[in-house]
Amino acid sequence: MIPARGAALYKGKAKSVFATDDPSLVILRFSDEATAFNGVKQAVFQDKGRINCAITAHLFDELAARGVPSHMVRQLGERDLLCHKVEIIPVEVVVRNVIAGSLARRYGLTEGEPLDEPLVELFLKSDELNDPLLTEEVAVRFDFAKRWELQCMREQALQVNDLLRAFWGELGIDLIDFKLEFGRLDGKVVLADEITPDGSRLWERGTGQRFDKDVFRRDLGDLSQTYRALHARVFGETQA
Ligand code: UDP
């Protein structure tokens, strides 16, 4: 049974959420739109939605098979995922293996330096406030999340990091950092949202070639071509 797509519930920067005829399920639709610097830079890239949807579905399947379930039920169409409806926790979890991006800028560190141990950072999910960095104490004090939820998120994020590092590593790609979101579902904290090159830094081992949204943020080339090349690496040339 394919659930019927209902009204749009929410339109984000690169995805929209639709209701279905089952109130416990939603459809996530991935668009070709890209934004950077909190919406200051915008563009449309052919195939981006389809590729991000395919990569998210594949990674959520891989993670679930290895003991980390997500909100995803299954992929429906080329750009649609059927998901359990969750209450998104407004705390973004970033895991880093190599210094890059805002970590380098914030503390004057050198981009590209590996970290001895993965570093977990928390950010408040707020476009108006530009996603400020959070300490666990602040997150708990102002009830953005419960302490046990943050512990759960941290544990799962580190597990996901181990699994994704191995996944990308086998494809000759270093996982530099990535962002995860979690949701509340039946009293549990479950991985939600997406895992895509929009929210990850993926550098080719040896060449350092970027396979992620930094190509758009930093004007390093054509994002559609970059994502098609990544898709080909994940699924084989024929499906690119
Ligand atoms: N990221 C994201 N959404 C955000 C902020 C960051 O998906 O709102 C991802 C980003 O793609 C990168 C990682 O989280 O893989 C760390 O991003 P960083 O904090 O370095 O920020 P940026 O340099 O992207 O501003």
Side-chain angles (χ1 to χ4, degrees), residues 10-157:
Y10 169 80
K11 183 171 178 351
K13 283 176 278 190
K15 289 194 303 297
S16 296
V17 183
F18 294 92
T20 69
D21 45 15
D22 180 336
S24 70
L25 298 173
V26 292
I27 292 172
L28 243 61
R29 170 158 293 182
F30 290 72
S31 81
D32 285 343
E33 290 159 44
T35 65
F37 313 115
N38 201 11
V40 171
K41 194 170 171 181
Q42 297 186 357
V44 172
F45 293 98
Q46 205 192 4
D47 292 336
K48 183 171 102 70
R50 175 177 72 81
I51 291 170
N52 279 345
C53 184
I55 290 177
T56 295
H58 186 65
L59 293 178
F60 278 164
D61 276 341
E62 292 278 312
L63 294 173
R66 288 162 181 75
V68 188
S70 74
H71 69 151
M72 186 183 76
V73 178
R74 64 191 153 90
Q75 183 165 1
L76 288 180
E78 266 202 331
R79 11 177 110 238
D80 290 346
L81 297 185
L82 182 65
C83 297
H84 294 287
K85 187 174 188 173
V86 300
E87 182 193 347
I88 290 287
I89 298 173
V91 175
E92 299 187 349
V93 181
V94 169
V95 184
R96 303 179 183 274
N97 300 302
V98 174
I99 295 171
S102 74
L103 178 67
R105 291 196 298 275
R106 192 179 326 120
Y107 303 119
L109 304 171
T110 307
E111 191 159 73
E113 288 280 318
L115 295 158
D116 290 346
E117 290 288 323
L119 177 69
V120 178
E121 290 184 324
L122 307 177
F123 296 88
L124 180 64
K125 185 173 158 68
S126 164
D127 286 341
E128 302 89 86
L129 301 174
N130 220 349
D131 295 355
L133 186 69
L134 283 178
T135 61
E136 188 174 318
E137 190 175 355
V138 167
V140 171
R141 185 77 66 92
F142 299 109
D143 208 23
F144 300 132
K146 306 290 179 206
R147 197 176 293 277
W148 71 267
E149 290 177 326
L150 293 170
Q151 273 159 8
C152 242
M153 287 156 72
R154 185 188 160 81
E155 219 168 275
Q156 288 184 66

Side-chain angles (χ1 to χ4, degrees), residues 184-208:
R184 300 179 176 113
L185 179 65
D186 303 331
K188 292 201 188 102
V189 171
V190 65
L191 183 59
D193 193 41
E194 63 173 59
I195 304 180
T196 64
D198 278 10
S200 313
R201 285 197 169 90
L202 302 166
W203 297 0
E204 186 174 40
R205 192 165 297 158
T207 68

